[in-house]
Amino acid sequence: MKSTDAKHPVAEKIPTELKKHDDVRIDNYFWMRLSDDQKLAPIKDAQTQKVVAYLEAENEYYENVTGYTKTFQEELFHEMKSRIKEDDSSVPIKSNGYFYSTRFEIGSQYPIYSRKKETLEAEEEILFDVNEMAKDFDYYQLGGLNVSEDNKLVVFATDTVSRRQYFLRIKNLETGEIYKDIIDNTTGGSVWANDNKTIFYTKKDPKTLRSEKIFRHVLGTPTSEDVEVYHEKDETFGTYVTKSKSKDYIIIGSYSTLSNEAQYLDANNPTGKFTMLQERVADLEYNVSHYKDHFYIMTNKDNATNFKLMKTPISQTTIEHWVDVIPHREDTLLEDFSIYKEYLVLEERTNGLNRIRIKRWDETEDYYLPFGEETYSVGVYGDDEFDTEIIRYSYNSFTTPSSVIDFNMADKSKEIKKEQEVLGGKFNKENYRSERVWATARDGKKVAISMVYHKDTKLNKDTPLMQYAYGSYGHTVSDSFSTTRLSLLDRGFVFALTHIRGSQYLGRDWYEDGKMLNKKNTFTDFIDCSKYLIDNNYTSAKHLYAMGGSAGGLLMGAIINMNPELYNGIIAAVPFVDVISTMLDDSIPLTTGEYDEWGNPNDKTYYDYIKSYSPYDQVEAKEYPNMLVTTGYHDSQVQYWEPAKWVAKLRELKTDTNLLMLHTNMEAGHGGASGRFEALKETAKDYTFFLALENKVNIENSKI
């Protein structure tokens, strides 16, 4: 990017001594941490004013450095926006006699939710116009829509701060009245009992934001009289409430990274007592669905690392009664399953690729849906209908826009209900190439790299390449289509998605080998993939860029500490970089539930290991690549002070003159801006950073 005379902020150093296991760390920027009360108080205290002033100074520095790109950013935003069908709508989903859909109007930031009774030709009934609801807020999120069984009432959840602490309210769909009942500090989810007047919902701990209690609310009664039906007291577990697809049972689930527990209740008897299905056992994971007189259970029981499907009679639900339905397979990860009246649908992953398997209950058929591309993404929609022969799934790839497809499991016919439109008249899927290659990691494991680029892009040492990964919590990033990414591909960039350990791309073992005391495999896999791309002439260190967010931001922090010379620039979005301090503080939201992912640093073994890679603790006096770090002031998952402290420490120690910028969205949290166009503007800023480093932004007229 263009050099600038702007002076970056210099954060004050106020040493704070942190002691643990006879180890002393000095944190010069600990003062940047504010409590939620301080952030939300109408009158700011001195420390809050100081922190906000620092964040705003960093934002001003970012604006000064990138000022010459503003015209280009705006053009890039409009370019990406022009590909989107603004007056778009979802494929209607049938549920309990109604067709539900979501649509956008031209120029609107937020969706409109509506339904039609029995046929698609019926009169549209508007449930919520989020544009109206959001007009007085900088951030607005509507979610958790849950219609009663008699179709007359809907529970809805709203968040106006971006901390994922939702208010629950109830709307009468016949009169349009929104009831006075307001339930605060919830997860946003709810469940109706079959009496159409009782709901169950989950409350969070107001400080740690752990989902900890299930309550029962009866329409028309004060929320202060709501009955607590379950309290999850283990701080390493969270809880939730759901309803079986059969509508027969309300299920309370408890979960940690490594084990689960479920209780169930007859949905016709909301004041009854929940029955334990199977008590939690260390390292036993399971989730439950109901069909006829059995519960069906996806589980890792009997060392089924890649999971298997079992069933147990409703009258005998404890583990000794479970029997195999789909046995464990060493080469196939069972990711999910859906139960229909005549069919069982399985979602699997083999050699990194999604597969959909359809099996009749009467065992007369058992087959896989065919997919032709080498790398793609496919998934079954969460379907509310039980007695149907139709499943709906989505399909897309790096080069193929998303399609929504209805598949008839009886006659094997399919109907494409919707194909994603890429407007602007310039997109042709034949102009793009995708491939999957395998890099060899330093311990001999093969790591997949999925790539996409324009057919006219020459692959050599001068080719700009953006490498992306996440690599934590077993989350697998799919090889999916992106209209915004076209703005990079059309300008000569290669996009490379690396399927590093910590995901489940190659099964559950792939995840286990990238967590806890194996976490460094995640970082070295990414680095070894970078070296593969350089060694095989896809790019060079001068033109290699990297990007990751949240736990992927931790990945960015680790790789630039380990091998900064490999990258010309990185973007770390809402990065989890002060790992050791955060994991030692159980007052920070969600910390205790993370011990099974990262380890508990109150144990010295884990303390030493985490400290050895924690990006904030490992910053050294050396050269670092160009960097853009982004965060949200109200982020509840990765607190803003982690990236703020990290940038301050990097400024203090780094020996290069490369760019280092911090941008804080003062109105948003972990997910960034809430409106669809505001989110596009953030993407335009990110892409401009990479394009400017490649000198593809012309200062005079901003054109490329």
Side-chain angles (χ1 to χ4, degrees):
M1 297 183 77
K2 181 187 175 186
S3 61
T4 176
D5 294 330
K7 299 298 183 183
H8 64 70
V10 177
E12 183 181 0
K13 294 168 63 174
I14 305 176
T16 299
E17 190 175 272
L18 304 173
K19 293 181 180 180
K20 190 70 177 179
H21 304 300
D22 297 322
D23 181 51
V24 178
R25 293 177 298 133
I26 303 299
D27 188 345
N28 290 321
Y29 306 105
F30 190 85
W31 62 268
M32 292 187 184
R33 174 176 171 171
L34 298 175
S35 69
D36 291 336
D37 290 341
Q38 286 176 296
K39 286 192 289 183
L40 298 174
I43 301 175
K44 307 300 183 185
D45 61 25
Q47 186 197 3
T48 305
Q49 292 178 13
K50 181 178 178 179
V51 170
V52 170
Y54 172 72
L55 297 177
E56 290 177 341
E58 286 284 4
N59 282 353
E60 183 179 358
Y61 175 68
Y62 168 82
E63 295 297 331
N64 288 335
V65 172
T66 61
Y68 79 99
T69 70
K70 292 304 180 186
T71 302
F72 175 72
Q73 282 185 35
E74 188 68 18
E75 291 179 359
L76 196 60
F77 161 71
H78 285 292
E79 175 183 296
M80 292 187 291
K81 183 181 176 185
S82 72
R83 299 192 190 103
I84 297 174
K85 183 173 168 46
E86 287 198 47
D87 53 344
D88 203 4
S89 61
S90 65
V91 178
I93 296 175
K94 188 178 182 184
S95 178
N96 199 21
Y98 282 82
F99 287 93
Y100 290 85
S101 63
T102 305
R103 62 180 171 83
F104 286 91
E105 294 182 341
I106 293 175
S108 68
Q109 290 269 21
Y110 296 95
I112 296 170
Y113 293 88
S114 66
R115 69 178 183 177
K116 295 181 179 181
K117 188 174 183 179
E118 295 180 356
T119 72
L120 293 174
E121 287 70 43
E123 183 179 354
E124 181 186 51
E125 176 187 350
I126 302 295
L127 305 181
F128 298 99
D129 183 345
V130 186
N131 298 285
E132 280 297 310
M133 300 167 75
K135 62 184 180 182
D136 295 326
F137 298 93
D138 293 318
Y139 178 93
Y140 196 89
Q141 187 71 43
L142 176 74
L145 303 190
N146 182 18
V147 179
S148 59
E149 298 298 336
D150 63 5
N151 294 310
K152 295 179 179 180
L153 302 166
V154 60
V155 184
F156 64 99
T158 57
D159 174 15
T160 58
V161 179
S162 190
R163 280 184 62 79
R164 303 185 185 182
Q165 290 174 284
Y166 289 89
F167 288 92
L168 285 183
R169 302 195 71 180
I170 300 167
K171 181 177 182 178
N172 187 314
L173 295 175
E174 294 183 318
T175 66
E177 178 188 2
I178 295 178
Y179 294 160
K180 294 181 179 179
D181 316 64
I182 301 178
I183 304 169
D184 66 354
N185 193 36
T186 79
T187 61
S190 63
V191 169
W192 285 99
N194 290 344
D195 64 358
N196 299 299
K197 67 178 183 179
T198 304
I199 64 169
F200 294 83
Y201 62 89
T202 310
K203 285 274 253 184
K204 293 186 170 186
D205 180 289
K207 186 174 183 181
T208 67
L209 301 189
R210 181 174 68 91
S211 306
E212 64 169 0
K213 294 180 179 179
I214 307 296
F215 282 84
R216 182 179 69 235
H217 173 73
V218 178
L219 238 60
T221 64
T223 57
S224 60
E225 296 179 5
D226 288 359
V227 177
E228 180 186 309
V229 296
Y230 180 66
H231 181 188
E232 178 52 70
K233 295 181 180 179
D234 188 330
E235 293 184 348
T236 66
F237 277 73
T239 188
Y240 64 91
V241 62
T242 187
K243 196 173 189 180
S244 65
K245 190 173 180 178
S246 65
K247 309 296 184 185
D248 291 339
Y249 292 100
I250 293 167
I251 298 170
I252 291 176
S254 293
Y255 62 92
S256 71
T257 307
L258 296 175
S259 60
N260 302 85
E261 182 179 85
Q263 308 170 56
Y264 62 95
L265 174 71
D266 185 340
N268 294 306
N269 182 27
T271 59
K273 183 179 179 181
F274 279 82
T275 301
M276 182 64 67
L277 191 145
Q278 166 59 47
E279 291 185 352
R280 66 192 66 177
V281 176
D283 300 327
L284 175 68
E285 299 177 64
Y286 73 90
N287 62 57
V288 180
S289 190
H290 169 242
Y291 176 63
K292 292 186 176 178
D293 55 357
H294 283 80
F295 285 120
Y296 283 74
I297 302 163
M298 192 174 83
T299 179
N300 66 345
K301 180 181 180 291
D302 304 322
N303 297 314
T305 308
N306 281 331
F307 293 88
K308 61 180 177 177
L309 188 65
M310 307 185 78
K311 70 176 182 179
T312 191
I314 292 173
S315 59
Q316 296 176 303
T317 62
T318 51
I319 195 167
E320 65 269 17
H321 301 292
W322 299 4
V323 296
D324 282 5
V325 176
I326 303 294
H328 176 252
R329 291 152 293 171
E330 294 291 341
D331 64 345
T332 299
L333 174 68
L334 178 60
E335 292 190 313
D336 205 354
F337 69 104
S338 303
I339 287 178
Y340 298 86
K341 184 177 180 181
E342 302 293 338
Y343 298 89
L344 172 65
V345 177
L346 304 168
E347 294 179 73
E348 304 174 350
R349 187 180 293 272
T350 301
N351 197 34
L353 300 180
N354 303 119
R355 301 199 299 176
I356 297 176
R357 180 181 177 185
I358 296 171
K359 181 180 174 68
R360 286 189 63 100
W361 288 114
D362 62 13
E363 298 187 347
T364 57
E365 284 190 303
D366 187 348
Y367 59 92
Y368 287 91
L369 297 187
F371 304 112
E373 296 182 86
E374 179 186 358
T375 179
Y376 57 85
S377 175
V378 65
V380 176
Y381 271 64
D383 191 352
D384 201 39
E385 294 292 288
F386 177 70
D387 186 5
T388 179
E389 295 176 336
I390 305 295
I391 65 164
R392 177 167 292 171
Y393 67 91
S394 62
Y395 178 90
N396 71 110
S397 73
F398 273 158
T399 58
T400 305
S402 180
S403 293
V404 177
I405 300 166
D406 278 359
F407 180 79
N408 188 305
M409 296 180 283
D411 63 19
K412 298 183 177 62
S413 63
K414 71 177 183 179
E415 179 185 1
I416 298 175
K417 304 296 291 185
K418 181 179 180 177
E419 291 179 313
Q420 179 183 3
E421 294 183 61
V422 183
L423 303 184
K426 297 180 181 179
F427 174 74
N428 179 350
K429 66 173 293 183
E430 301 303 322
N431 287 335
Y432 302 90
R433 302 283 181 265
S434 66
E435 61 179 292
R436 185 172 64 157
V437 297
W438 296 83
T440 302
R442 60 196 65 185
D443 62 356
K445 296 290 179 68
K446 297 291 186 180
V447 184
I449 308 172
S450 301
M451 287 184 283
V452 61
Y453 48 90
H454 195 281
K455 68 177 184 179
D456 294 336
T457 297
K458 306 300 182 186
L459 302 180
N460 56 47
K461 64 181 178 60
D462 296 320
T463 305
L465 185 149
M466 197 265 272
Q467 184 181 345
Y468 183 87
Y470 184 71
S472 292
Y473 302 102
H475 175 66
T476 301
V477 181
S478 298
D479 298 348
S480 55
F481 186 78
S482 166
T483 60
T484 56
R485 189 188 299 137
L486 297 175
S487 292
L488 284 182
L489 304 185
D490 290 349
R491 291 171 171 86
F493 266 74
V494 176
F495 176 77
L497 175 58
T498 46
H499 300 289
I500 54 182
R501 276 172 279 190
S503 74
Q504 294 187 124
Y505 187 75
L506 294 179
R508 184 69 173 190
D509 284 339
W510 201 243
Y511 168 43
E512 299 290 344
D513 209 19
K515 62 185 284 196
M516 304 284 275
L517 297 175
N518 295 319
K519 189 62 209 172
K520 289 183 184 178
N521 287 336
T522 299
F523 316 138
T524 56
D525 279 359
F526 191 94
I527 289 167
D528 292 342
C529 287
S530 299
K531 291 178 178 178
Y532 174 91
L533 293 167
I534 293 170
D535 292 344
N536 287 274
N537 224 31
Y538 286 96
T539 189
S540 61
K542 185 179 179 181
H543 300 281
L544 179 57
Y545 303 91
M547 183 174 182
S550 194
L554 160 62
L555 171 66
M556 296 297 101
I559 64 168
I560 62 167
N561 279 333
M562 297 167 73
N563 286 93
E565 76 284 355
L566 293 178
Y567 309 96
N568 187 34
I570 71 148
I571 294 178
V574 292
F576 176 38
V577 286
D578 191 12
V579 187
I580 194 72
S581 293
T582 292
M583 294 303 298
L584 281 170
D585 188 347
D586 59 13
S587 72
I588 294 175
L590 311 177
T591 293
T592 54
E594 304 280 290
Y595 291 154
D596 289 335
E597 178 72 23
W598 312 99
N600 184 346
N602 290 296
D603 178 327
K604 189 175 186 304
T605 300
Y606 288 104
Y607 177 92
D608 291 340
Y609 187 77
I610 293 172
K611 184 183 176 185
S612 73
Y613 68 73
S614 175
Y616 183 64
D617 293 281
Q618 295 302 317
V619 172
E620 298 174 333
K622 62 184 178 185
E623 293 189 356
Y624 284 91
N626 297 286
M627 296 172 59
L628 171 60
V629 181
T630 62
T631 187
Y633 186 55
H634 295 289
D635 195 335
S636 61
Q637 287 188 262
V638 178
Q639 305 287 336
Y640 73 88
W641 64 72
E642 292 199 35
K645 287 166 50 177
W646 184 44
V647 167
K649 189 172 182 180
L650 282 163
R651 287 207 195 286
E652 174 192 350
L653 293 178
K654 75 189 192 82
T655 60
D656 58 84
T657 57
N658 290 329
L659 283 172
L660 173 58
M661 297 181 290
L662 171 68
H663 185 265
T664 304
N665 187 326
M666 300 302 290
E667 277 77 47
H670 200 65
S674 55
R676 58 174 176 160
F677 300 138
E678 291 305 311
L680 278 183
K681 290 178 181 177
E682 292 184 352
T683 302
K685 288 180 179 180
D686 291 345
Y687 284 4
T688 297
F689 176 72
F690 290 137
L691 290 165
L693 288 173
E694 275 294 305
N695 296 315
K696 290 183 176 289
V697 177
N698 185 297
I699 298 170
E700 281 70 35
N701 58 20
S702 82
K703 299 289 186 182
I704 288 183

